[in-house]
Amino acid sequence: AMTVGKDVSSLFMDVLKCIQTPDVELKKLVYLYMINYSKSQPDLAILAVNTFAKDAAHPSPLIRALAIRTMGCIRVDRITEYVLEPLRRCLRDPDPYVRKTAALCVAKIFDINPDLAMEFVEILRDMLSDQNPMVVANTVSALMDIAEIWTNPDEEVWSVTSQNVNKLLAALNE
């Protein structure tokens, strides 16, 4: 209950002005507001895309992960295409926190627009070999979420095989 039942969507432009703040706590609040109100203000939500993309390349892994998580949670189809390049970078990020967050973002993007997110399914499959167990766990979760809405009967998104069981066991061993 972000606003205790009060509609504060009329403040969208005022909150949007705060999006470029260097204060991490304020940025978290602005991003949360954007997630909650972008669906009711999709024309204005697109104004935040440049900041999200810039923050997805920020020196701080926390900011990069926050940006990619927020972009994935904003359920506005027109924004989805702008998420792809930052998502591609974040899936290959040197920081495991960013990678694990980006893995979950793929499933969210797939739910909004499967055609745009198809290229990321193979990247997720590769991420099953990641050295970090949290990245592997979130990758499995994302692949399972995608499998639930997968519509191609000729191909499985992911299934347990002897090859990937060894990868999963190695991740569990960490």
Side-chain angles (χ1 to χ4, degrees), residues 2-94:
M2 178 180 193
T3 58
V4 195
K6 291 186 171 65
D7 179 18
V8 292
S9 60
S10 62
L11 300 174
F12 198 95
M13 284 305 294
D14 295 316
V15 172
L16 189 60
K17 291 175 188 172
C18 297
I19 201 166
Q20 294 186 20
T21 181
D23 182 334
V24 176
E25 294 305 314
L26 180 57
K27 189 175 283 287
K28 287 179 185 178
L29 288 172
V30 171
Y31 277 23
L32 180 61
Y33 179 92
M34 296 299 294
I35 291 168
N36 285 320
Y37 289 99
S38 288
K39 198 162 197 128
S40 65
Q41 304 272 350
D43 295 333
L44 296 177
I46 202 150
L47 298 174
V49 168
N50 285 339
T51 300
F52 293 140
K54 190 171 79 175
D55 282 353
H58 194 275
S60 166
L62 178 67
I63 300 296
R64 292 194 305 272
L66 181 63
I68 205 67
R69 175 185 296 122
T70 302
M71 290 173 82
C73 289
I74 292 179
R75 314 293 283 175
V76 177
D77 191 34
R78 292 190 329 213
I79 289 178
T80 305
E81 65 188 77
Y82 299 104
V83 177
L84 302 182
E85 189 53 41
L87 180 57
R88 199 174 289 114
R89 278 194 323 269
C90 287
L91 286 168
R92 305 269 189 233
D93 198 274

Side-chain angles (χ1 to χ4, degrees), residues 109-134:
I109 299 302
F110 193 91
D111 187 40
I112 297 168
N113 191 329
D115 294 334
L116 283 178
M118 282 303 298
E119 69 177 278
F120 298 109
V121 173
E122 193 58 41
I123 295 172
L124 286 178
R125 290 174 183 147
D126 292 342
M127 288 175 69
L128 290 171
S129 300
D130 197 280
Q131 297 299 309
N132 186 288
M134 288 304 300

Side-chain angles (χ1 to χ4, degrees), residues 156-161 164:
E156 283 188 320
V157 172
W158 183 73
S159 62
V160 178
T161 64
N164 63 26

Side-chain angles (χ1 to χ4, degrees), residues 141-154:
S141 178
L143 287 169
M144 297 303 290
D145 288 348
I146 291 169
E148 288 179 16
I149 52 178
W150 187 260
T151 58
N152 184 351
D154 299 328

